[in-house]
Amino acid sequence: MTITTNAGDLDRRLLMDRSVTGRKAFTVPESDVPAQELPDSSLLRDDVELPEVSQLDVIRYFSVLSQLNFSIDTNFYPLGSCTMKYNPKINDELANLPGLAEIHPLQPEETVQGAIRLLKALQDDLGEITGLPGVSLAPLAGAQGEYAGLLIARAYHDARNDDKRTVAIVPDSAHGTNPASASMAGLDVVTVRSDAQGNVDVENLKELASSNTAVFMLTIPSTLGLFEPNILEITTIIHNAGGLVYADGANLNALLGLVKLGDLGVDICHSNLHKTFSTPHGGGGPGSGPVMVTDELAKYLPKPVAEKADAGYLLASPEQSIGTINGFHGSFSIAARAYAYIKALGLEGLQSVSENAIISANYIQAKLRDKYDLAADRYCMHETVLSATRQKKRGVAGIDIAKRLLDFGIHAPTMYFPLIVDEALMVEPTESESKETLDHFIAVMRQIDDEIDSNPAVILEAPHDLPVTRLDEATAARKPVLRWAPAE
Amino acid sequence: MTITTNAGDLDRRLLMDRSVTGRKAFTVPESDVPAQELPDSSLLRDDVELPEVSQLDVIRYFSVLSQLNFSIDTNFYPLGSCTMKYNPKINDELANLPGLAEIHPLQPEETVQGAIRLLKALQDDLGEITGLPGVSLAPLAGAQGEYAGLLIARAYHDARNDDKRTVAIVPDSAHGTNPASASMAGLDVVTVRSDAQGNVDVENLKELASSNTAVFMLTIPSTLGLFEPNILEITTIIHNAGGLVYADGANLNALLGLVKLGDLGVDICHSNLHKTFSTPHGGGGPGSGPVMVTDELAKYLPKPVAEKADAGYLLASPEQSIGTINGFHGSFSIAARAYAYIKALGLEGLQSVSENAIISANYIQAKLRDKYDLAADRYCMHETVLSATRQKKRGVAGIDIAKRLLDFGIHAPTMYFPLIVDEALMVEPTESESKETLDHFIAVMRQIDDEIDSNPAVILEAPHDLPVTRLDEATAARKPVLRWAPAE
Amino acid sequence: MASSVNTSPNHPYIPSTDSERREMLGVIGVNSLDDLLGDIPIEYRHPRLSLAAGLSEQELSSVFSSFAAENASSATGYISFLGAGAYSHYIPSTVRSILQRGEFVTAYTPYQPEAAQGTLQVGFEFQTIICQLTGMEVANAGMYDGPTAFAEACLMAARVTKRTRIGVLASADRRLPETLDAYSKHQGIEIVELSPDVTEIPDDLACIGIQSPNFFGAIEDVERLTKLAHDSGALSVVHVNPTALGLFRPPGDFDVDIVTAEGQPLGVPMAFGGPYVGLFACKKSHIRQMPGRIIGRTTDTQGRIGYALTLQTREQHIRRERATSNICTSTQLIGLMVAVYVATLGKQGMKDLASLCYQKAHYAASEINRLEGFSVETNGTFFHEFVVRCPASPQSVNAALLERKIIGGLDISDRAEKSMLICVTETSSKADIDRLVAALGEIGDRS
Amino acid sequence: MASSVNTSPNHPYIPSTDSERREMLGVIGVNSLDDLLGDIPIEYRHPRLSLAAGLSEQELSSVFSSFAAENASSATGYISFLGAGAYSHYIPSTVRSILQRGEFVTAYTPYQPEAAQGTLQVGFEFQTIICQLTGMEVANAGMYDGPTAFAEACLMAARVTKRTRIGVLASADRRLPETLDAYSKHQGIEIVELSPDVTEIPDDLACIGIQSPNFFGAIEDVERLTKLAHDSGALSVVHVNPTALGLFRPPGDFDVDIVTAEGQPLGVPMAFGGPYVGLFACKKSHIRQMPGRIIGRTTDTQGRIGYALTLQTREQHIRRERATSNICTSTQLIGLMVAVYVATLGKQGMKDLASLCYQKAHYAASEINRLEGFSVETNGTFFHEFVVRCPASPQSVNAALLERKIIGGLDISDRAEKSMLICVTETSSKADIDRLVAALGEIGDRS
Ligand SMILES: Cc1ncc(COP(=O)(O)O)c(C=O)c1O
Ligand SMILES: Cc1ncc(COP(=O)(O)O)c(C=O)c1O
């Protein structure tokens, strides 16, 4: 397996291009049972055209590919709303213990007491952290947690025969999964405006809240990195209108031990274990998006819910469960990692996580506010949303700044989100990055701003030293090439 | 932890430079025993000045450093005499099984039967492969295997009161460890010449072999990648002179299943498990250099030697053992990997290893011989020694070619060794590299030769895209800086 | 405010020290953390939490060792014959090795393709592999798991056909229609159960959802059922076992429209049910209705090949409430496991493995079928698993097996009288199978 | 010649296929492999070998699982109190994680520094850490193990002083003088045993070799002994336990000339004895007599910092028979483990760990000392381990402990009557210690 072409460039050939008839990377054992008759050959295929490569090829190919990635393990990765924090290595090890990794989801409960006990302990801790004691770990990611939460809201209204409630009110700053989940749940999405300070426009919300309001979906802190100051008023408005308050807790990293969502009038929330609770993001999953609810709503939780009975731990199906939202019991080994994370930090450590996440974001904000506009000019929580509008006027857009950061080994912030902020650059440093790293980021951001005047080309042509320069995404979408095909 | 400086260069600061008082990457558990009185404070130190960094710092620092390396997992690495072949991942896993990695070397034998059985099985296989049935796995690397072998030779002569035998005859092509080991063993090193074909000059050897010859050290195949055609004559000459024949089996990768050293008159040999038997080289060890001897010499082997008795497996000390050459029983987990390698390949597989290693080396030789001189113009075994003399005349030395190869992601061959070849480039492709990789190497080597005429600067200034260009090694040796020191 | 900044000693996961925190607060221009929390209602700030104190790594390891020790697994000497959607397969060392690479593990969704060519090229390999295995034209980069992939496939069929009734074969794993139900219940979709032998279907179905091999291990007649679907303008959605595709004709041979599968058998640990990866492939013509991430090939400004997320206008972050799915964080890393697994087994390995599993399951079935009181009930060709009717309740048989450190087949007496579903893969040696058979023999004799 | 090219199916470790082999042979210009083997005496070519056939990875795993299962370890429920040169310590996850990086694991000696800055910078970190821990000026990048490091240190002292007699304290682990003997026996070196209380030494010693803590766990008076050595022109060579250096004054405080240690306690698995790494540090003035690889800092043609092997003229590949040692392949990867371990524990962790070990060992000693019939014989300050005199033969006590799944202390009745050397580190919980004490109590009562 070569890694460069003869010209010395990175060799981008795919495995199938490198395949040679007869090579192999693995040997399946010989059968040790008496030969059985194969089925009718009409049922059988000839060959599967799959790569034929050596074992070294496999290792070298994927090892070299891995080095083309930025990652937490190798780079500062302040991708807003994604909480790219350190993923402790011990958690991966513990989740891979044979006694946890090699158990079948349908084993009799008495043979998996350790696994269920773990799930129960995590449920308890998440309930405590959010102040919403009904917990199901079934959802496989944040979006599925949202969807489960919305099904719970619908089940609640249905149980009360309150069947006119078909509207989900969603702030204009919400993450795309919020409206998408709402519409999967058969709800009409109605948008509530943000006001000039980035808060929910309470007047607008009052207008919208009504007898058809099923649920109000509030991201807290919001995608602007702001804690909603009118939260108590808002939850009262919704409750008075007979609706439920759903909190998108993807940004829970700001709140650990500082406030409980349940105390504020939130009825349902989800949290992303792959963000706040530090399970690895894996290049885009797997995740886990537990849903937490008030005691009252616990009977609707998706199954299973781990419980402790006299005879031991068991996986129960709540009375009026919204049912099965996926194959088995959720992302078990992600839950295991999250629980290990909580145990390693403990109460003080979790508080310290949020405290430091908040201080770091505000520090960056304070150090960059003279150069970059802020989406909201006030203290932020765990992330700060910058706006490159001033830079845009000088000829360099948010995306250009993002790409230029890559030249310094810094992953770009989340770009162009939330949608309500022009040229948004959403910066979430997390508590696991040191002050030096923040200072480095600040220095580079300031330097990029200087470069707009001194050397704009260096920004516009960035990134410079990565395996590719900017890609033609338009053609990719217009003429999709989505798989290897044999050369013609 | 930042990975670039503010200027965008790789940040080469050391851990101590990155240390911040109060940071930590690990927590030692609180004591669970009643407090014990500490000793007199005059015995105690204040602090150890060690890095204070976070856990993410540790992971990121070492992860980024790792990417600065070439390695088998990421690069073709035809480093001659080093047998840089694929190191199967399964072997690392198996050696790390808790039942193998967490056992103490001094455990009672009845509690480590599996470990000793493994060692015995490996001894047996190595004895079979080399035709020298007395095996000790004690030596920790090839050089220690050599040394053990020489001590055995001395013990043999001593036992016969043949105490005038104080000379080791060593070919001029030998690896540096051969003479170094001989002199540690108190032997005077006498050099035998190679002839024009790269063979041992038999006439010269005849002159040198005498009643003071303790041992003749023959590397087979030699460091020129050649099998000594006069081996039978040579071993006879030495035996007739009363000496013993020591074979440096570091290059055993050429011989597996093709010939047994014991059949040829070799009395003692070592083999490098970290070469032929595919244990990872680790950036320069750990290794393992078992020593194999004839039945007659087995009583001198260093301890321990695994044996099977009626009551089970045990670690024995041979009757007239040369003693303990290191702490415990050798590199156990390296031995485990080597045994896994042998088991995975089996007889046919091992033969195939050598066959393919030989074909690959000869293929490279055949494809480059019009451009590069050969150290010996005949078929080679598992490696071919090129000489860049023609290139040197055109202004480009062996080292320049070596550095230029790095630009193509190819590790350089062993340079300037063996010492008897001008501008030597010793190329060992191994059986685990595919023909495409060999073709790529060949193409690049030919292109470099072309570049001498078209663009010599590109060679002379190579490497171009690595973290450093060529280093000032002279100053490094003249004014050694060997450790971090606080900035003054 | 003394309490405002936590002054506990540094934690290994949190680098900032007290003095750094103070310095940063100074730059921000506040005295304490609480000055930053003004938006949080003061009466609810700093609540009391009942959570334990933090543990050192060594202590944490002990806690987890206890969890693990309380479970019965191969590590504690058990053998198991459970399948039914999650399968025990040998996972090659290459998979674990590559899965340890932090650059893959700790990256996120490749929003910046220049800094994510590793993840992206792997995703492209994954899509290729899924197409090659299933014989389909296009595949996405993975769904949450098999059942959600199936549910989203049915919803996609509804979008494509603009119909709202979905047929699902009665022989399918119930988790498929159940998940579909949870995914569709508020979208006006109706689920219709169809017999596998159905020869006529209602003419307003969006699709027929087929599991093959079905829940009972038997191969369905996908070709016939697909024709039946197409005849009435419905799509054919087939949920496969990917291991079986090493041996059996792929859905692509039968003009199937959408193929889904649980990807777990392809190198993913059973891990008590997750995380897994849903496989999703379809005809190229339906691609703009496909849910999930898709990776495409393109070129950079210098004309070099590169990969990027593509067709994103289907997705929630752009299309919001009109997206083809709400899926965002998906299962890229599990997709990597699948890619490395299939690359490692390769053409020959996938074929050999399917044959070996076939051999073992059929050997086990024939041995069990010989036992007095037990009968194998799965008819025709089966793969991996088969139904065994027991002389006593499956529950009691399983309890007796468990005493012998054997985890028996899944009790399916709710679906077939006195029956269990026994699964045998290459991880069961002949000795294991014989041990099961002997144990069943003993248990049968007693009952 | 049909047999000449092995025509067995491809092996996963060998990519070349039959047709490629034939093509390559064609280019070489021969018909068969045997044409390339002309130099090997034909009568000995292709010997019969009695070796088994190759195994698949799955089969190989079973073979190794059996090896592992036959050993008593924490994995099989045993607790152990063995030390005496190899110690059980908790190894942080960071160490294992970094140790999985193929770029470190599958590189070799950094002969091309431009392509090995990772290995080199780590080696420089290692040298720094060893200097900081020992308080010495310079360190090399690692030796094979502790005893060989000690032996090479004594040989180095002989070279430096040009003397041939080496004194070793009687309280040292016998493996130290034994290895020294094997390393020096043909170099005209004589080894002299010295009492730890020695107040006068022969005036022709090259060095005094001191182990502290000594074999019995006790701290030696390194300061006094070093002065004694220096007074007669001898060097002082001290073999330390690196964990103890978190707490106790380092040899550098006492003007020691050469320090060696077994590096295993710093994050390296016990692994039945190896591979480990020898630590080696000395005064700067002696550096050109130091054995082993040394990494130095330098600059590249652009003035950037870089690292490279340095002072290579001491080494065998240059100096050949006049080299300072024959060492070539050393223990770079184990050095990496040490570097990651010490970086992870850091300043506070190394101190805390040493204290914790101290607390535990002293607790165990005091509890055992209370038992009827048992007495702790190590006098003064000890670390990690201590001598316990038993009421019966240590062998019989250990046999009784083993029945209780306790691996007792090392039987040292050859060195101290009826005694065993018991070691306690942080991996023994109080419960483990109490279990040992209770068991000893029972066993003592019976004898
Ligand atoms: C605010 C917010 N809500 C919801 C989500 C969706 O979570 P997931 O990606 O796990 O589905 C995300 C994450 O991307 C998010 O940032
Ligand atoms: C021919 C030869 N002999 C001896 C050795 C020494 O082996 P080691 O480095 O394991 O001490 C080597 C390896 O470098 C070698 O190539």
Side-chain angles (χ1 to χ4, degrees), chain C residues 95-269:
Chain C
V95 177
R96 281 181 297 277
S97 172
I98 295 300
L99 253 285
Q100 286 156 353
R101 296 209 47 96
E103 298 95 323
F104 283 133
V105 175
T106 70
Y108 203 19
T109 310
Y111 296 121
Q112 299 292 340
E114 302 87 347
Q117 287 295 302
T119 294
L120 287 160
Q121 187 164 330
V122 169
F124 197 82
E125 291 282 9
F126 173 88
Q127 291 172 184
T128 297
I129 280 168
I130 303 314
C131 289
Q132 306 284 94
L133 273 176
T134 57
M136 301 296 288
E137 289 170 328
V138 288
N140 72 15
M143 305 294 287
Y144 293 140
D145 71 356
T148 60
F150 176 79
E152 295 243 28
C154 295
L155 290 177
M156 172 171 154
R159 286 193 301 274
V160 169
T161 59
K162 306 203 166 65
R163 297 178 179 179
T164 57
R165 294 178 76 212
I166 289 169
V168 179
L169 290 204
S171 57
D173 187 341
R174 286 198 180 136
R175 294 177 304 116
L176 300 180
E178 278 171 25
T179 305
L180 173 58
D181 180 51
Y183 262 65
S184 64
K185 63 168 106 185
H186 295 289
Q187 296 187 53
I189 298 261
E190 187 198 341
I191 304 172
V192 185
E193 186 173 289
L194 301 174
S195 155
D197 305 324
V198 63
T199 52
E200 246 177 302
I201 55 167
D203 63 4
D204 61 351
L205 290 188
C207 65
I208 308 187
I210 306 160
Q211 184 185 12
S212 177
N214 65 25
F215 181 64
F216 309 104
I219 310 288
E220 295 287 2
D221 191 344
V222 171
E223 187 161 22
R224 187 183 69 77
L225 292 160
T226 299
K227 280 209 191 90
L228 194 64
H230 288 175
D231 285 348
S232 74
L235 303 191
S236 150
V237 173
V238 178
H239 191 74
V240 297
N241 176 324
T243 307
L245 295 178
L247 194 58
F248 291 95
R249 287 180 70 189
D253 276 14
F254 306 123
D255 202 25
V256 166
D257 300 279
I258 310 178
V259 177
T260 62
E262 177 57 75
Q264 178 275 329
L266 302 178
V268 184

Side-chain angles (χ1 to χ4, degrees), chain A residues 81 141-143 146 175 177-178 219 223 248 250-251 270 272 274-275, chain C residues 108 144 328-329:
Chain A
S81 206
E146 292 170 18
H175 192 265
T177 50
N178 288 196
T219 303
T223 61
D248 177 332
N251 293 337
H270 83 272
N272 285 358
H274 50 296
K275 296 181 177 177
Chain C
Y108 203 19
Y144 293 140
C328 175
T329 297

